[in-house]
Structures are given as structure tokens and as C-alpha cells.
Amino acid sequence: MSPLLMFLSSIIMVSWADVCPCERPELCQQIQDEKDFEVFVFDVGGKTWKSYNWSVVTTVATFGKYDGELMCHAHSKGARVVLKGDVHLASVVDQSNRTAWITEMVDLARRQFMDGINLDIEQAVEEGSPEYFALTDLVKETTEAFHKQIPGSQVSFDVAWSPQCVDKRCYDYVAIANSCDLLFVMSYDEQSQILGDCIAMANSPVTQTLGGYDQYLKIGVDPKKLLMGVPWYGYDYPCLNFTQDGVCYVAEVPFRGAPCSDAAGKQKTYKWITKQIGSSLSGRLWDDKQQAPYFNYKDPKGQIHQVWYDDPESLCLKTDAVQSKGLRGVGMWNANILDYSDDPVARQQSAAMWNALFGCQPG
Ligand SMILES: *[C@@H]1O[C@H](CO)[C@@H](O)[C@H](O)[C@H]1NC(C)=O
Ligand SMILES: *[C@@H]1O[C@H](CO)[C@@H](O)[C@H](O)[C@H]1NC(C)=O
Ligand SMILES: *[C@@H]1O[C@H](CO)[C@@H](O)[C@H](O)[C@H]1NC(C)=O
């Protein structure tokens, strides 16, 4: 684009800017300060954000509909609000297409008084392919554009629990980490590719999860770029058969080259899980090897299900390592799915989930 055109389009952009929806206009100003410790929250829509523990939240990635009220509230607490960014990689191999997409994202963020973008691109990519290089360039160019046009803005990128081509996501992780502000490590869906027995297992087993961070550090990713992302949801698996020692065999659902996957189960919210335990056959059980809770229940048709999930006890074993590995912070998928009702038990459980972001508390 010529400098004149660029100038003209920036004038047009300003005149397109929406009216600030906040009661106090200064709340529409973007957040600029850097936080030493990040608490990165995914919000999927609705109004449960009103019940978040805002004394700890630093960034909200909004995956639901744009909510001006949420933006104003987050800014009043000094927290960033960032867009969701996803694009089909084959269509941004082309440089001008890529630039057009980035421009569109920056404009959208500016019009909505937002503080950055979370790139959630989980496509399969072959190492050395045109998409492989396009992805690295996309992250770099997106970060440059955001930093330039929205000073102090934050660009983060979501990665799998390990950098070793999980789900055929063979990205240039080191280059990507170096060219954005943060990597949100999704330490969940770790059974997306089951190679052994097709059985129900933990969503985020502790040893495997922590091993993923060691791999990121080993390939040379700066620990200060890494956020530990933990699940506030679990998996409900219908069992095809259920052995005497409590192993639940699940349907064979292949995923990206693996014969079995967690797609045999259904994702369930922590809110659903805490209710369902009450009517389970087993009550809460604990698996010592995976360091995760689970339970069994019978559905109305008589089929046994096994539910694997995380609770404060399993979460804090992971988040304890944030400090020891020198990571930048924590986050969860997703913040909406706790029971934020006035029920005293629910209140206590939800507070315990937020607290578990900061490791196992003494006592
Ligand atoms: C540019 O993007 C559009 C839609 O996003 C896509 O249909 C088109 O094929 C892309 N062009 C190139 C050259 O990749
Ligand atoms: C359960 O089903 C799996 C897969 O169909 C099979 O390999 C296994 O032997 C079965 N176990 C029992 C106890 O029936
Ligand atoms: C919010 O988090 C802080 C820090 O962990 C904690 O001290 C506080 O009690 C929490 N607030 C609520 C309402 O749970």
C-alpha cells in the first residue's frame, strides 16, 4: 500500500471506530503495562464473567460474542481483553491475503477497544510445507502489526501440550514463540491420539503434562513466554465394556493418524461433573499413576460411563510447577464453566478452582 493510501485508510478507520460503550470513556483506553505474572482466561460468552475472581485476572480472550460491558469491566480491573484469531492456513500462504487478514484483525480490535489477539490455529501442518512457513510469518506479522498499531497490545498463540507434532501440528514452535508475546500451552486433550489400549484415561495426566513443558524448554522456548493452560472440563466416556479392575474400554474413534482418541467421549463442564459425582456408582476415585480424579456412573439406559476430570487436587500438582519451571503464568479452558450460583458448596468449589491456579496451598 502506498503511504498516501495507508494514511487515508487510517483516517477512515478512525471514523469507523465505534462509540466507547463504557460509562467512563477512559476505560476504552487499551491496557499498556506488562504483568510479571499472567492469569490468562478464556471466556466463551454469557455473563458468568461477572463472577470471575477479578483480583487475579490479567487477560481475557473472548471466544464468545463481543461484549462491550466485559471490555469495560476488564479494563477497570487493569485486565486486557483480546480477540480470537483463526484463519485457514492455505489461504494465508499468499502474502497479500495474509496482510489483508492481519489488517482486518487489527481494525476489529481497535474498533472494539481491545488489547490484542489470541491466535487459536490448531490445524495440521507438515514441517517444511508452505503452510508451515506461512504460519510462522503470520504470527510474526500479526505481532508486529498489533504492537505498532495498538501500543502495549498482546499477541498470544495456542499450542498443544507438547511440541512434538501432537495432532500433526508440526509447527516451528521456537520461531513462533520468539515472534509473539506468549504461548498458551493447552495442557489438555492429551488423549487426542491414543496409541495403546483404547481405554478411558485422564485429560491432563500430571507427569505427561509436566513433560510437555520440559520439551518446550529443551527445544529453546523462553520459559517467560509460556503460560500453563489447565482444563476446567473433563471427559465423559461411555464404556463398551468395563473390567473388574475398573478399566473402561471406549469406542475406536480415529484422529489424525491414531486409531483411538478422546473423541470417543464428550467434554463436560466442572459444573456438570460436581453434580454428577453425587449420583455416581463409585464416588470420586483417584488414579495414582495419572494423578487425576475419576468416577463411574450408570446412565438411564444402563450403560456404564467413566468420567475423567480435574479438580483442585490434580490442578495444583500441575500449577505448582509454574513457579519451579519459571513460567510466565497460568490460564484455563475455560473460565465460564464453574458453578457460580449462590449455593454455598458451589461457591466454595469455584473459589477452590481459582485458587488452584496458584499451586497447592499449604494446609
Ligand atoms: C485468499 O483468501 C480467500 C478467502 O480467505 C481464498 O478464497 C483465496 O483462495 C485466497 N487466495 C489465495 C491466493 O490463497
Ligand atoms: C473389552 O473390549 C475390548 C475392545 O473391544 C477388548 O479388547 C477387551 O478384551 C474387552 N475386555 C473384556 C473384559 O471384555
Ligand atoms: C481471589 O483470589 C485471591 C488470590 O488468590 C484470593 O485471596 C481471594 O480470596 C479470591 N477471592 C475470592 C472471592 O475467591
Side-chain angles (χ1 to χ4, degrees):
M1 215 187 276
S2 75
L4 178 64
L5 258 181
M6 210 122 79
F7 174 71
L8 288 175
S9 68
S10 74
I11 291 181
I12 292 168
M13 238 143 58
V14 169
S15 63
W16 275 347
D18 290 356
V19 178
C20 174
C22 309
E23 257 170 64
R24 287 161 35 214
E26 68 271 22
L27 292 181
C28 278
Q29 283 165 18
Q30 276 93 354
I31 305 292
Q32 302 224 2
D33 66 319
E34 274 221 18
K35 311 278 196 308
D36 292 335
F37 192 85
E38 273 283 337
V39 177
F40 191 104
V41 165
F42 282 98
D43 182 279
V44 296
K47 290 290 181 187
T48 44
W49 57 262
K50 293 190 175 185
S51 303
Y52 294 171
N53 187 337
W54 285 99
S55 66
V56 301
V57 174
T58 60
T59 300
V60 184
T62 51
F63 277 35
K65 226 172 71 208
Y66 176 69
D67 182 346
E69 196 191 359
L70 167 55
M71 181 276 293
C72 302
H73 187 75
H75 282 181
S76 78
K77 302 292 180 183
R80 286 188 170 80
V81 180
V82 301
L83 275 179
K84 173 190 177 170
D86 187 14
V87 63
H88 187 55
L89 286 177
S91 66
V92 293
V93 169
D94 177 71
Q95 172 77 68
S96 62
N97 248 11
R98 198 160 67 238
T99 304
W101 184 81
I102 293 168
T103 304
E104 190 190 323
M105 291 298 113
V106 172
D107 291 353
L108 184 58
R110 281 162 53 129
R111 287 204 307 274
Q112 298 178 340
F113 311 98
M114 295 174 83
D115 314 273
I117 189 167
N118 174 257
L119 297 169
D120 185 44
I121 296 168
E122 304 190 23
Q123 292 154 44
V125 170
E126 215 175 293
E127 191 174 343
S129 64
E131 287 84 1
Y132 174 89
F133 295 108
L135 176 58
T136 310
D137 290 342
L138 180 77
V139 176
K140 184 166 180 284
E141 292 162 13
T142 302
T143 306
E144 286 166 357
F146 268 84
H147 285 180
K148 185 155 172 245
Q149 311 236 24
I150 306 176
S153 62
Q154 177 204 80
V155 178
S156 57
F157 185 86
D158 301 335
V159 296
W161 64 270
S162 141
Q164 295 178 333
C165 290
V166 170
D167 302 342
K168 297 199 171 172
R169 285 180 258 174
C170 304
Y171 308 161
D172 188 347
Y173 289 100
V174 174
I176 288 174
N178 286 339
S179 53
C180 67
D181 298 308
L182 297 166
L183 295 188
F184 183 96
V185 182
M186 298 181 284
S187 291
Y188 40 75
D189 298 341
E190 295 182 32
Q191 312 303 343
S192 59
Q193 295 175 299
I194 301 176
L195 300 171
D197 279 346
C198 205
I199 59 174
M201 289 182 283
N203 188 17
S204 179
V206 172
T207 305
Q208 178 171 329
T209 294
L210 299 184
Y213 292 91
D214 293 337
Q215 289 162 14
Y216 277 106
L217 299 176
K218 196 171 153 205
I219 61 172
V221 173
D222 177 357
K224 289 293 168 220
K225 291 268 171 109
L226 292 173
L227 298 174
M228 179 181 286
V230 295
W232 278 3
Y233 67 97
Y235 277 89
D236 174 359
Y237 293 98
C239 308
L240 295 184
N241 63 33
F242 188 73
T243 68
Q244 277 198 318
D245 42 358
V247 175
C248 166
Y249 280 82
V250 302
E252 293 182 18
V253 183
F255 185 67
R256 295 196 185 166
C260 295
S261 90
D262 52 22
K266 276 207 175 73
Q267 295 186 357
K268 296 287 186 178
T269 66
Y270 189 66
K271 179 179 176 175
W272 178 90
I273 287 163
T274 50
K275 284 210 178 68
Q276 193 69 22
I277 294 175
S279 52
S280 67
L281 300 167
S282 61
R284 178 186 181 274
L285 301 170
W286 178 261
D287 183 277
D288 280 326
K289 193 148 170 269
Q290 301 177 80
Q291 296 176 278
Y294 67 106
F295 64 86
N296 306 312
Y297 77 93
K298 198 180 267 187
D299 70 23
K301 287 182 185 152
Q303 185 170 28
I304 294 183
H305 292 232
Q306 192 163 75
V307 179
W308 287 85
Y309 64 104
D310 276 277
D311 65 8
E313 190 182 349
S314 64
L315 289 171
C316 79
L317 295 173
K318 290 176 273 234
T319 55
D320 258 348
V322 170
Q323 208 85 39
S324 58
K325 293 188 193 297
L327 310 183
R328 181 63 175 279
V330 290
M332 84 298 283
W333 180 268
N334 62 63
N336 303 86
I337 56 185
L338 303 183
D339 183 348
Y340 291 113
S341 69
D342 285 336
D343 175 70
V345 175
R347 260 176 191 272
Q348 189 278 328
Q349 284 170 332
S350 296
M353 291 293 274
W354 280 92
N355 283 334
L357 294 172
F358 307 102
C360 303
Q361 320 283 325

